[in-house]
Amino acid sequence: MQDPNNSFPFDIRDVEGTDDKELSKYFLGAGNFSIQVGPKKYLLMSDYKHDAENIYNMRLRYDDIFVVTYPRSGTTWTQELVWLLASDLDYSTAEKIPLSSRSIFLEQVIVSLPISVRNISLMLQLPRFPMLMHKNIVEHLDKEHADKPENLKNLQLMRTPGSEQVARIPSPRFIRTHLPLSLLPPTLLDTTKVVYVARDPRDVAVSYYYLSSEFKSYNFNGDFKSYWRLFVKDLVYWSPFFEHLKEAWQMRHHPNLLFLFYEELLQNLPATVQRVADFLGKEYKADQIAELCTHLKFENFKKNPSVGIDNLKEYGMMAPKGEFIRKGKSGGWRDYFDEEMTREAQLWIDNNLQDTDMRFPSMQ
């Protein structure tokens, strides 16, 4: 039950019964460590409840810029686009400082740790995953790094609440999150600018399946058909998918929210970049927009070490051959869906879109 004295307005409850058994079956240790939040039952890992109120009531700044997405919807691509447009196309800084440090993930913040390599002082940029590091995962990683004291120390640091770290970041802050608008501060759109990106759910599911299979925080151990079944039942993290999107779609006319489709970035990157620039109040010449599009071209973006998270492989948090940035395409889901899944997916999509005029460019 909701505590009337709590300034977080939604109830948080453990996932139980059949749903908990399914999570336990397919995700490493997820059983008894998953929660559902509010009337829409957003599925999150249990550590969220320790930071839910702090995030909901976080102090916003008027120069904050948020990138909000459901996972695997073009988040990283949009982060780099937004940061460069808002930062006067500072490619030099973008090359020197990892995107994960320039645009902070609210559910994962970055800590700078001093290290010494051959008597040279360096700063190690280490991600923290307080909401993706439930007890069983921590125990699993601790065993893997039992003979590496420094790694054990760093793994412990990863459990620091994101809201604490974001509050210390100097302005202007670039913040990304997979949390839906309803779980973010209610004054968000009246205070800051928000870029929201949506993507065809079938492509999202394929990309999310690969991440979930390769990332230790998920460690999914089933095939894609099993994953899709969980996806449409809202049993993957940050679901339900359509409720997440609809919240933003309903606010798309707010002057401080720009609603984009991933497919728009693919189909006409220059025009979409211009829309984002206009939204941020930035003016650039045509040749500058063209240069940025070249920087963001997927073949170039995938090779850009500043936007990857390969350092997670060192800590065993990602499979050695895992790809955080995969193919950057639309319609790839057709290679994974059989005829029955295709029919079921279309019915699921139609049922969820019947009460809204939202349509994905890939479906028009």
Side-chain angles (χ1 to χ4, degrees):
M1 296 295 291
Q2 179 182 332
D3 181 354
N5 297 315
N6 193 333
S7 57
F8 182 71
F10 304 112
D11 64 311
I12 298 177
R13 53 202 172 279
D14 294 334
V15 177
E16 299 177 339
T18 303
D19 289 346
D20 184 59
K21 290 180 180 177
E22 287 213 72
L23 288 170
S24 300
K25 177 180 178 181
Y26 288 107
F27 294 93
L28 172 66
N32 300 318
F33 291 101
S34 299
I35 56 175
Q36 290 175 317
V37 183
K40 297 176 182 178
K41 299 183 178 180
Y42 283 110
L43 182 69
L44 298 166
M45 289 189 184
S46 59
D47 271 9
Y48 167 76
K49 62 188 175 185
H50 302 304
D51 213 23
E53 182 177 350
N54 294 330
I55 290 174
Y56 190 79
N57 295 290
M58 67 183 289
R59 185 167 297 179
L60 300 170
R61 305 173 192 169
Y62 287 99
D63 55 358
D64 288 341
I65 300 176
F66 278 70
V67 172
V68 181
T69 66
Y70 184 89
R72 311 311 289 171
S73 299
T75 317
T76 307
W77 205 16
T78 308
Q79 279 180 276
E80 181 78 345
L81 163 60
V82 167
W83 189 91
L84 282 166
L85 284 176
S87 303
D88 301 322
L89 303 179
D90 186 355
Y91 295 106
S92 177
T93 298
E95 181 180 4
K96 295 174 184 175
I97 301 178
L99 179 60
S100 56
S101 296
R102 290 181 277 122
S103 185
I104 303 300
F105 185 20
L106 185 56
E107 294 96 308
Q108 166 215 321
V109 295
I110 302 297
V111 57
S112 295
L113 296 176
I115 61 173
S116 178
V117 179
R118 296 178 182 176
N119 296 322
I120 300 176
S121 296
L122 300 172
M123 294 300 289
L124 171 67
Q125 301 292 326
L126 179 67
R128 297 179 180 180
F129 293 83
M131 293 183 202
L132 298 181
M133 295 283 287
H134 60 63
K135 182 181 177 182
N136 281 12
I137 291 173
V138 172
E139 291 177 352
H140 177 78
L141 291 172
D142 283 350
K143 289 180 181 178
E144 285 193 356
H145 295 269
D147 59 343
K148 301 175 183 177
E150 191 63 27
N151 282 11
L152 288 174
K153 177 183 177 182
N154 293 338
L155 285 168
Q156 183 59 38
L157 285 170
M158 292 181 189
R159 290 178 61 81
T160 301
S163 62
E164 293 181 17
Q165 291 298 315
V166 170
R168 301 171 191 164
I169 298 171
S171 295
R173 298 185 302 186
F174 296 84
I175 302 169
R176 72 174 171 99
T177 181
H178 295 319
L179 294 174
L181 293 181
S182 59
L183 300 186
L184 295 172
T187 59
L188 182 72
L189 293 180
D190 295 326
T191 310
T192 72
K193 287 188 177 294
V194 176
V195 177
Y196 188 96
V197 189
R199 186 183 187 185
D200 185 315
R202 295 165 295 192
D203 282 322
V204 167
V206 171
S207 183
Y208 207 176
Y209 161 71
Y210 276 100
L211 182 74
S212 299
S213 300
E214 296 166 351
F215 209 73
K216 276 286 169 60
S217 290
Y218 303 99
N219 210 25
F220 182 75
N221 59 17
D223 58 16
F224 175 69
K225 199 165 190 175
S226 299
Y227 191 85
W228 173 252
R229 183 171 55 82
L230 295 175
F231 189 88
V232 298
K233 291 175 65 177
D234 302 327
L235 289 179
V236 298
Y237 293 108
W238 287 284
S239 291
F241 174 85
F242 276 107
E243 291 299 334
H244 200 296
L245 270 61
K246 287 177 184 179
E247 287 188 16
W249 182 254
Q250 290 172 356
M251 301 302 296
R252 67 191 183 281
H253 298 306
H254 194 290
N256 278 343
L257 185 138
L258 177 63
F259 192 105
L260 298 176
F261 287 102
Y262 179 82
E263 292 78 9
E264 293 175 313
L265 288 160
L266 287 174
Q267 293 168 5
N268 195 336
L269 183 58
T272 309
V273 168
Q274 187 61 61
R275 283 181 61 197
V276 179
D278 293 342
F279 174 69
L280 297 176
K282 307 293 288 189
E283 294 185 10
Y284 294 106
K285 297 177 181 178
D287 61 329
Q288 291 175 304
I289 296 293
E291 182 183 13
L292 178 55
C293 288
T294 298
H295 175 82
L296 294 170
K297 191 175 181 181
F298 190 78
E299 306 91 89
N300 299 330
F301 190 72
K302 187 177 177 68
K303 297 175 184 176
N304 184 350
S306 180
V307 301
I309 56 172
D310 283 349
N311 58 331
L312 295 183
K313 296 177 182 179
E314 176 187 346
Y315 287 88
M317 294 182 66
M318 192 170 187
K321 295 183 179 180
E323 292 184 303
F324 183 66
I325 299 171
R326 290 188 65 248
K327 295 186 176 181
K329 59 187 287 188
S330 177
W333 62 268
R334 292 181 178 86
D335 297 332
Y336 298 85
F337 283 66
D338 59 29
E339 290 185 8
E340 180 184 8
M341 292 172 67
T342 299
R343 288 193 299 270
E344 291 176 349
Q346 192 59 59
L347 179 61
W348 176 70
I349 291 168
D350 291 344
N351 287 340
N352 278 282
L353 291 181
Q354 64 183 354
D355 62 346
T356 176
D357 59 351
M358 180 176 66
R359 296 294 181 270
F360 296 89
S362 58
M363 301 179 192
Q364 295 178 353

mmCIF file of all heavy atoms in Angstrom, residues 6 15 36 141 234 254 257-258 294 305 333 340-341 345:
data_model
loop_
_atom_site.group_PDB
_atom_site.id
_atom_site.type_symbol
_atom_site.label_atom_id
_atom_site.label_comp_id
_atom_site.label_asym_id
_atom_site.label_seq_id
_atom_site.Cartn_x
_atom_site.Cartn_y
_atom_site.Cartn_z
ATOM 1 N N ASN A 6 4.649 9.453 2.304
ATOM 2 C CA ASN A 6 5.745 9.335 1.352
ATOM 3 C C ASN A 6 5.481 10.257 0.178
ATOM 4 O O ASN A 6 4.389 10.255 -0.387
ATOM 5 C CB ASN A 6 5.846 7.876 0.880
ATOM 6 C CG ASN A 6 7.148 7.610 0.151
ATOM 7 O OD1 ASN A 6 7.737 8.503 -0.445
ATOM 8 N ND2 ASN A 6 7.590 6.371 0.206
ATOM 9 N N VAL A 15 7.371 -8.550 -7.409
ATOM 10 C CA VAL A 15 6.771 -9.438 -8.407
ATOM 11 C C VAL A 15 6.606 -10.809 -7.764
ATOM 12 O O VAL A 15 7.545 -11.335 -7.162
ATOM 13 C CB VAL A 15 7.656 -9.539 -9.666
ATOM 14 C CG1 VAL A 15 7.051 -10.523 -10.668
ATOM 15 C CG2 VAL A 15 7.802 -8.156 -10.304
ATOM 16 N N GLN A 36 7.325 -4.123 -9.294
ATOM 17 C CA GLN A 36 6.440 -3.428 -10.214
ATOM 18 C C GLN A 36 5.982 -2.146 -9.548
ATOM 19 O O GLN A 36 5.661 -2.139 -8.357
ATOM 20 C CB GLN A 36 5.255 -4.316 -10.592
ATOM 21 C CG GLN A 36 5.666 -5.493 -11.472
ATOM 22 C CD GLN A 36 4.530 -6.456 -11.747
ATOM 23 O OE1 GLN A 36 3.758 -6.791 -10.855
ATOM 24 N NE2 GLN A 36 4.431 -6.925 -12.981
ATOM 25 N N LEU A 141 29.340 -11.620 -9.394
ATOM 26 C CA LEU A 141 30.517 -10.879 -9.837
ATOM 27 C C LEU A 141 31.613 -10.886 -8.768
ATOM 28 O O LEU A 141 32.808 -10.931 -9.090
ATOM 29 C CB LEU A 141 30.132 -9.431 -10.191
ATOM 30 C CG LEU A 141 29.271 -9.267 -11.447
ATOM 31 C CD1 LEU A 141 28.802 -7.831 -11.579
ATOM 32 C CD2 LEU A 141 30.027 -9.698 -12.696
ATOM 33 N N ASP A 234 5.098 -7.892 -20.753
ATOM 34 C CA ASP A 234 5.660 -6.831 -19.905
ATOM 35 C C ASP A 234 6.564 -7.383 -18.814
ATOM 36 O O ASP A 234 6.638 -6.826 -17.709
ATOM 37 C CB ASP A 234 4.538 -5.984 -19.276
ATOM 38 C CG ASP A 234 3.641 -5.346 -20.321
ATOM 39 O OD1 ASP A 234 4.162 -5.011 -21.407
ATOM 40 O OD2 ASP A 234 2.436 -5.190 -20.060
ATOM 41 N N HIS A 254 3.915 19.567 -25.951
ATOM 42 C CA HIS A 254 4.518 20.450 -24.953
ATOM 43 C C HIS A 254 5.772 21.078 -25.562
ATOM 44 O O HIS A 254 6.585 20.380 -26.181
ATOM 45 C CB HIS A 254 4.870 19.666 -23.690
ATOM 46 C CG HIS A 254 5.182 20.527 -22.516
ATOM 47 N ND1 HIS A 254 6.331 21.300 -22.426
ATOM 48 C CD2 HIS A 254 4.490 20.759 -21.357
ATOM 49 C CE1 HIS A 254 6.341 21.951 -21.287
ATOM 50 N NE2 HIS A 254 5.235 21.638 -20.615
ATOM 51 N N LEU A 257 9.158 19.291 -24.965
ATOM 52 C CA LEU A 257 9.360 17.883 -25.301
ATOM 53 C C LEU A 257 9.411 17.724 -26.815
ATOM 54 O O LEU A 257 8.547 18.221 -27.536
ATOM 55 C CB LEU A 257 8.260 16.992 -24.723
ATOM 56 C CG LEU A 257 8.503 15.488 -24.940
ATOM 57 C CD1 LEU A 257 8.156 14.699 -23.676
ATOM 58 C CD2 LEU A 257 7.699 14.938 -26.115
ATOM 59 N N LEU A 258 10.431 17.038 -27.279
ATOM 60 C CA LEU A 258 10.557 16.692 -28.684
ATOM 61 C C LEU A 258 10.435 15.178 -28.803
ATOM 62 O O LEU A 258 11.260 14.437 -28.260
ATOM 63 C CB LEU A 258 11.904 17.149 -29.248
ATOM 64 C CG LEU A 258 12.175 16.779 -30.715
ATOM 65 C CD1 LEU A 258 11.166 17.464 -31.637
ATOM 66 C CD2 LEU A 258 13.595 17.143 -31.118
ATOM 67 N N THR A 294 27.802 13.100 -40.819
ATOM 68 C CA THR A 294 28.901 12.186 -41.127
ATOM 69 C C THR A 294 29.443 11.563 -39.845
ATOM 70 O O THR A 294 29.721 10.365 -39.786
ATOM 71 C CB THR A 294 30.034 12.925 -41.867
ATOM 72 O OG1 THR A 294 29.527 13.436 -43.111
ATOM 73 C CG2 THR A 294 31.212 11.997 -42.139
ATOM 74 N N PRO A 305 35.250 4.963 -30.304
ATOM 75 C CA PRO A 305 35.485 4.406 -28.963
ATOM 76 C C PRO A 305 34.876 5.239 -27.840
ATOM 77 O O PRO A 305 34.657 4.740 -26.740
ATOM 78 C CB PRO A 305 37.018 4.374 -28.853
ATOM 79 C CG PRO A 305 37.485 5.414 -29.823
ATOM 80 C CD PRO A 305 36.501 5.398 -30.957
ATOM 81 N N TRP A 333 13.907 -7.104 -37.566
ATOM 82 C CA TRP A 333 13.115 -8.089 -36.824
ATOM 83 C C TRP A 333 12.608 -9.215 -37.726
ATOM 84 O O TRP A 333 12.375 -10.331 -37.262
ATOM 85 C CB TRP A 333 11.925 -7.411 -36.145
ATOM 86 C CG TRP A 333 10.941 -6.760 -37.082
ATOM 87 C CD1 TRP A 333 10.945 -5.468 -37.505
ATOM 88 C CD2 TRP A 333 9.809 -7.385 -37.713
ATOM 89 N NE1 TRP A 333 9.892 -5.239 -38.367
ATOM 90 C CE2 TRP A 333 9.180 -6.403 -38.500
ATOM 91 C CE3 TRP A 333 9.270 -8.665 -37.689
ATOM 92 C CZ2 TRP A 333 8.038 -6.662 -39.256
ATOM 93 C CZ3 TRP A 333 8.127 -8.933 -38.438
ATOM 94 C CH2 TRP A 333 7.533 -7.937 -39.210
ATOM 95 N N GLU A 340 3.958 -17.198 -37.395
ATOM 96 C CA GLU A 340 3.066 -17.126 -36.235
ATOM 97 C C GLU A 340 3.418 -15.937 -35.351
ATOM 98 O O GLU A 340 2.528 -15.187 -34.920
ATOM 99 C CB GLU A 340 3.160 -18.418 -35.425
ATOM 100 C CG GLU A 340 2.253 -18.425 -34.201
ATOM 101 C CD GLU A 340 2.423 -19.679 -33.358
ATOM 102 O OE1 GLU A 340 3.351 -20.468 -33.646
ATOM 103 O OE2 GLU A 340 1.653 -19.846 -32.404
ATOM 104 N N MET A 341 4.708 -15.725 -35.093
ATOM 105 C CA MET A 341 5.137 -14.590 -34.274
ATOM 106 C C MET A 341 4.784 -13.274 -34.955
ATOM 107 O O MET A 341 4.385 -12.304 -34.286
ATOM 108 C CB MET A 341 6.635 -14.664 -34.010
ATOM 109 C CG MET A 341 7.065 -15.807 -33.129
ATOM 110 S SD MET A 341 8.863 -15.954 -33.056
ATOM 111 C CE MET A 341 9.298 -14.449 -32.181
ATOM 112 N N ALA A 345 2.501 -10.555 -33.261
ATOM 113 C CA ALA A 345 3.071 -9.240 -33.005
ATOM 114 C C ALA A 345 2.174 -8.142 -33.566
ATOM 115 O O ALA A 345 1.943 -7.113 -32.909
ATOM 116 C CB ALA A 345 4.467 -9.142 -33.614
#
